[in-house]
């Protein structure tokens, strides 16, 4: 984990401070049980905290009760978290003596990890320790006031981790836990985790037949969408196309790969190369002919190399030198032949080339280019996780090219689109995470344009404030080319997800030479807004599966309606099939179960398949021109006239009712 700056630490929430303090309480407990332990870092994380420890004893979950018992002693003691400011020289001395990350009364071995941590602290930054009871450690804070403020805690897991995340460094034990203000909040959290297990998109995705990962033939992280899953994909794409058409977007289509020059110009190479698939070499046309000629010459020279052994020493040496020089020249020329192509890792460079394909005027702006583009990213195998982290991504992407004067309205319209989607999907809790740059990162992590950073960050902030959107501001997490917004939503059971991003780009359009003629007939570079409100099919559907627990609303359900018959008489079957046919004629995903199974079995099968609406038809329903309606998970809702029910179904789908 990257070390937090002092500004980031100052923005830590109360819960993060509490969990950071809980990590120190845990370290205190571990040292009392195993005094030879050495600690590296112990930060708060999204769901709790951890501490990396070097210890001969292999900690297992069986050790957790003993550690937690010692932690309770420390919280009961209610020791103050005392901040101590020291010089760098004093910190180095204490680390070498073993005082840091140990019990102050019992100095241990030299704290090699603390010496490494000290090197990460920028020159001029204040160096501090935090002491609670008899435990003292190098730490920039912040913490709660006392150990007793760590109300409720529980250790959850133990794993391995390399020091500073570098596999060349020692492997440490990483002990995870979580903490809350009180036991009630902690119990609610673990109840949510239990519910999350039931809603796991990998489990439900398999049970519902939505997608499959074929690692043997296709590869890890490359999902195959089955028919029912494809229904959801296409419904989301239909929603996006309708919404974007109404908002003035135009659709484009781009290929799945491009030349190396594309990504060098955009700046993604070499900086993003680790997340891209390796390049493909392609030689064609005259270059292919030249390659064959060079291959033939190389073979001839190799043959001649064996034939000159009978020459005199001086003549042989001269000829060998000539052959060596020529072989080197052949190798260099062959290295220049051909082109490198990369699988597309992002759509934006392709859209920039579409903008550049025609002369543009201020009258053409804003230009909103939209595409559900398929991208490929080489996620590390250990980071792949169901649909949430994959290697092929179908992205709800668009790029808006606009003037500075148009920016506020365009950026606000994108945010309004997010809010519309939140309402459709029933997301009640959301937050925009506004990520800005940091001055020390300019020219390294970020494009070195301080004036443009300030201008665009101010513009984004003004839009967020004026529109009243719920947001938090986070420093030093922007994209390399401009400020961004990560869209955080909470599922029905309270789990937080990042589902989309919204980014401002003032740098890359300039690299591609994108210009428009302004009113004064001068050429200017447009601003570009990158936005993907529905993220990718893969991640968004993974989130929706867990949000709805697989119980999708009618418009999104893979099987929307199933007609179930009570009997096998021909008139009854004809009546039921007519209902199915009328629905399917209106593009409703309707099926019929006309077999001789008992109605209870038919209902159970439909419930298991999570069919949204079941229409049960018996003799009385047929005679009255009705259907008996049953909704998944809700039971019977009564009989309705057939025409009225079909109209209700069509209206619910058309309006995308939740």
């Amino acid at each position: 984990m990257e070390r937090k700056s002092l500004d980031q630490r100052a923005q830590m929430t109360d819960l993060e401070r509490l969990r950071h303090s809980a990590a120190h309480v845990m370290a205190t407990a571990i040292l009392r049980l195993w005094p030879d332990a050495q600690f590296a870092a112990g930060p708060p994380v999204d769901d709790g905290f951890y501490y990396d420890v070097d210890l001969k004893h292999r900690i297992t979950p069986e050790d957790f009760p003993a550690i937690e018992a010692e932690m309770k002693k420390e919280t009961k003691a209610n020791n103050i978290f005392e901040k101590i400011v020291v010089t760098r020289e004093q910190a180095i001395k204490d680390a070498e003596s073993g005082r840091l990350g140990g019990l102050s009364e019992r100095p241990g071995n030299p704290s090699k990890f603390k010496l490494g941590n000290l090197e990460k602290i920028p020159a001029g930054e204040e160096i501090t320790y935090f002491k609670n009871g008899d435990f003292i450690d190098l730490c920039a804070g912040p913490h709660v006031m006392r150990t007793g403020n760590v109300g409720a805690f529980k250790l959850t897991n133990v794993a391995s981790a390399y020091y500073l995340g570098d596999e060349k460094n020692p492997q440490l034990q990483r002990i995870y836990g979580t903490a809350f203000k009180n036991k009630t909040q902690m119990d609610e959290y673990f109840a949510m985790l239990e519910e999350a297990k039931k809603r796991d998109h990998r489990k439900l995705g398999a049970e519902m037949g939505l997608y499959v990962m074929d690692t043997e033939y296709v590869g890890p992280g490359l999902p195959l969408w089955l028919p029912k899953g494809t229904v959801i994909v296409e419904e989301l794409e239909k929603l996006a196309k309708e919404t974007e058409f109404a908002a003035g977007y135009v659709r484009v289509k781009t290929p799945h790969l491009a030349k190396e020059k594309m990504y060098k110009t955009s700046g993604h190479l070499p900086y993003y190369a680790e997340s891209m698939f390796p390049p493909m070499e392609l030689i064609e046309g005259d270059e292919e002919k030249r390659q064959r000629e060079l291959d033939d010459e190389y073979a001839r020279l190799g043959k001649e190399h064996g034939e000159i052994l009978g020459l005199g020493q001086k003549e042989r040496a001269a000829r060998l030198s000539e052959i060596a020089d020529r072989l080197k020249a052949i190798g260099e020329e062959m290295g220049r032949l051909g082109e490198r192509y990369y699988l597309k890792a992002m759509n934006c460079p392709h859209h920039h080339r579409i903008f550049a394909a025609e002369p543009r005027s201020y009258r053409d702006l804003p230009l909103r280019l939209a595409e559900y583009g398929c991208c490929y990213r080489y996620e590390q195998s250990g980071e792949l996780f169901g649909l949430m982290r994959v290697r092929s991504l179908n992205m709800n992407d668009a790029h808006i090219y606009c003037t500075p004067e148009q920016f506020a309205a365009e950026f606000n319209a994108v945010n309004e689109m997010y809010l519309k989607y939140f309402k459709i999907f029933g997301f009640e809790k959301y937050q925009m995470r506004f990520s800005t740059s940091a001055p020390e990162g300019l020219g390294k992590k970020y494009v070195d344009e301080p004036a443009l950073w300030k201008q665009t960050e101010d513009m984004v902030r003004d839009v967020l404030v004026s529109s009243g959107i719920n947001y938090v501001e986070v420093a030093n997490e922007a994209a390399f080319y401009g400020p961004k917004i990560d869209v955080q939503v909470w599922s029905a059971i309270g789990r937080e997800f990042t589902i989309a991003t919204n980014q401002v780009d003032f740098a890359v359009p300039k690299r591609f030479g994108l210009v428009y003629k302004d009113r004064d007939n001068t050429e200017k570079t447009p601003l570009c807004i990158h936005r993907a409100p529905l993220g990718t099919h893969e991640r968004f559907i993974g989130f929706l599966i867990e949000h709805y627990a697989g119980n999708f609303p009618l418009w999104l359900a893979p099987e929307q309606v199933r007609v179930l018959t009570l009997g096998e008489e021909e008139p009854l079957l004809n009546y039921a099939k007519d209902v199915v046919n009328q629905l399917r004629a209106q593009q409703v995903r309707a099926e019929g179960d006309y077999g001789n199974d008992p109605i209870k079995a038919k209902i159970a099968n439909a419930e298991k398949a999570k069919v949204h609406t079941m229409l049960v038809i018996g003799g009385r329903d047929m005679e009255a021109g009705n259907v008996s309606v049953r909704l998944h998970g809700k039971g019977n809702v009564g009989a309705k006239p057939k025409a009225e029910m079909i109209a209700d179904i069509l209206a619910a789908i058309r309006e995308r009712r939740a």
Side-chain angles (χ1 to χ4, degrees), residues 550-595:
N551 304 316
F552 294 101
L554 181 61
W555 71 273
L556 201 52
E559 187 177 346
Q560 294 169 315
V561 180
R562 187 177 295 182
V563 175
L564 315 175
T565 53
L566 270 165
E568 297 182 86
E569 297 82 5
E570 186 174 350
L572 179 66
L573 295 181
N574 290 338
Y575 181 83
K577 289 176 181 178
D578 180 61
V579 173
V580 171
N581 291 337
Q582 287 188 53
L583 289 168
R584 291 186 67 85
Q586 297 294 326
Q587 302 297 305
V588 177
R589 297 183 289 277
E591 304 291 341
D593 186 347
Y594 313 124

Side-chain angles (χ1 to χ4, degrees), residues 432-446:
M432 304 292 191
R433 185 180 174 90
F434 174 33
S435 298
T436 60
S437 63
E440 62 271 18
L442 296 180
K444 302 170 187 174
K445 186 177 178 181
Y446 308 114

Side-chain angles (χ1 to χ4, degrees), residues 506-653:
F506 57 76
V508 181
K510 185 186 297 184
R511 291 183 176 185
F512 278 97
L514 305 189
V515 294
Y516 65 92
K517 283 286 184 69
D518 208 352
R519 288 179 174 82
D520 58 4
N521 208 36
T522 61
E523 289 189 340
K524 294 183 179 178
T525 301
L527 282 173
C528 179
I529 300 172
H530 303 237
R531 45 107 289 177
L534 298 180
T536 68
H537 287 325
E538 292 74 17
R539 185 172 180 80
F540 195 69
I541 291 174
F543 170 75
L544 289 179
I545 292 171
E546 299 193 7
H547 178 63
Y548 293 125
N551 304 316
F552 294 101
L554 181 61
W555 71 273
L556 201 52
E559 187 177 346
Q560 294 169 315
V561 180
R562 187 177 295 182
V563 175
L564 315 175
T565 53
L566 270 165
E568 297 182 86
E569 297 82 5
E570 186 174 350
L572 179 66
L573 295 181
N574 290 338
Y575 181 83
K577 289 176 181 178
D578 180 61
V579 173
V580 171
N581 291 337
Q582 287 188 53
L583 289 168
R584 291 186 67 85
Q586 297 294 326
Q587 302 297 305
V588 177
R589 297 183 289 277
E591 304 291 341
D593 186 347
Y594 313 124
N596 58 3
D597 291 335
I599 192 63
K600 284 187 177 180
K602 292 182 178 182
I603 290 172
N605 290 336
E607 289 283 356
K608 184 178 180 181
K610 299 185 181 293
V611 178
H612 185 278
T613 299
M614 290 154 269
L615 303 180
V616 180
I617 298 176
R620 292 182 181 178
D621 296 299
M622 180 184 65
E623 292 170 3
N626 290 339
V627 292
S628 294
V629 184
R630 182 183 182 92
L631 300 180
H632 172 62
K634 297 179 181 178
N636 294 320
V637 296
K640 284 189 176 183
K642 178 179 69 173
E644 181 182 328
M645 189 59 213
I646 290 175
D648 286 349
I649 289 171
L650 295 177
I653 294 171

Side-chain angles (χ1 to χ4, degrees), residues 447 449 452-453 456 481-483 504-510 525-528:
V447 174
E449 296 276 4
L452 286 173
W453 276 107
T456 51
Y481 48 69
V504 184
D505 184 354
F506 57 76
V508 181
K510 185 186 297 184
T525 301
L527 282 173
C528 179

Side-chain angles (χ1 to χ4, degrees), residues 46-216:
D46 287 345
D47 296 324
F49 60 88
Y50 69 78
Y51 231 121
D52 287 339
V53 58
D54 184 27
L55 180 62
K56 290 180 181 178
H57 173 78
R58 299 303 301 176
I59 293 177
T60 69
E62 284 69 35
D63 295 312
F64 289 175
I67 299 171
E68 289 172 350
E70 289 295 332
M71 291 175 70
K72 287 176 182 176
K73 291 178 185 178
E74 178 62 18
T75 56
K76 189 174 181 180
N78 202 24
N79 288 311
I80 292 174
F81 279 100
E82 180 186 357
K83 181 179 179 180
I84 304 169
V85 180
V86 297
T87 63
R88 186 176 293 269
E89 292 73 21
Q90 181 64 47
I92 293 172
K93 181 180 177 182
D94 288 339
E96 289 175 341
S97 72
R99 183 171 183 244
L100 297 181
L103 298 167
S104 55
E105 287 82 3
R106 293 180 288 170
N109 299 320
S111 304
K112 53 190 174 184
F113 305 115
K114 299 305 170 184
L115 288 169
N117 291 354
L118 275 166
E119 293 176 359
K120 297 291 183 182
I121 300 177
E125 184 176 309
E126 182 180 74
I127 295 176
T128 58
Y129 303 161
F130 272 86
K131 182 177 184 294
N132 57 284
D134 53 5
F135 176 70
I136 188 168
D137 203 2
L138 175 71
C139 180
H143 289 281
V144 294
M145 183 67 70
R146 292 176 175 272
T147 59
N149 296 133
V150 181
F153 52 81
K154 185 176 179 64
L155 303 188
T156 57
N157 190 24
V158 59
S160 297
Y162 291 106
Y163 176 56
L164 299 179
D166 188 340
E167 61 183 12
K168 297 176 183 176
N169 289 334
Q171 192 175 67
L172 308 177
Q173 299 182 67
R174 178 167 289 181
I175 319 301
Y176 287 95
T178 192
F180 292 87
K181 188 175 181 180
N182 54 55
K183 188 174 183 299
T184 299
Q185 292 179 357
M186 188 168 74
D187 289 344
E188 290 173 351
Y189 169 76
F190 282 103
M192 182 270 288
L193 288 186
E194 285 302 311
E195 180 63 23
K197 289 180 183 177
K198 300 174 187 175
R199 294 169 176 251
D200 190 316
H201 77 277
R202 296 166 298 173
K203 173 178 174 287
L204 289 176
E207 291 175 357
M208 297 178 67
L210 302 181
Y211 73 96
V212 66
M213 293 289 188
D214 186 343
T215 57
E216 181 179 2

